[in-house]
Amino acid sequence: MDPPSVAEWARANPAGRDALLALTERAAALQPAAEAAIQRCRPGPEQPGGAQDAAAARDAYRFLADHLRALGLQAPVAAEVAGLLDRHLEALELALAGSAAEGLGPAAGRLVGARDLLRRTVAIGGRPVSDVTPGV
């Protein structure tokens, strides 16, 4: 039997969906600051605050990853978000170690995609967003 779709899982687990959506929105909102910090940690002329900002972003992503594990959500989308948070943490760790980190890369886009997918499972007036807003 195939696992339920994100929409099916969200309908069956609205509280879990809401918690995962809130966490994913926070993670996506952190991305610009994390990317900027990674770029400031690149080898070359030292840019003030880069390491401090990268450490703060790393700590924020670590908190989100720990929180996600504590939620114990049993859904493929939750596992996907957990993997993306791990990739973000890895990129920040590489930056702090002084390696030539490439940035968040494709994981950043996939995190935004997961956030948007979860947003589309929210009901407005009892109807899925995809029913209320054509083209979503």
Side-chain angles (χ1 to χ4, degrees), residues 69-103:
R69 277 190 293 281
L71 290 173
L73 300 174
Q74 300 298 313
V77 69
E80 178 185 357
V81 170
L84 294 169
L85 293 175
D86 288 344
R87 286 188 190 90
H88 282 47
L89 282 165
E90 182 180 320
L92 288 158
E93 289 290 349
L94 287 170
L96 286 165
S99 70
E102 293 297 318

Side-chain angles (χ1 to χ4, degrees), residues 119-130:
R119 281 181 176 173
R120 288 192 298 273
T121 66
V122 174
I124 298 175
R127 294 172 53 196
V129 170
S130 57

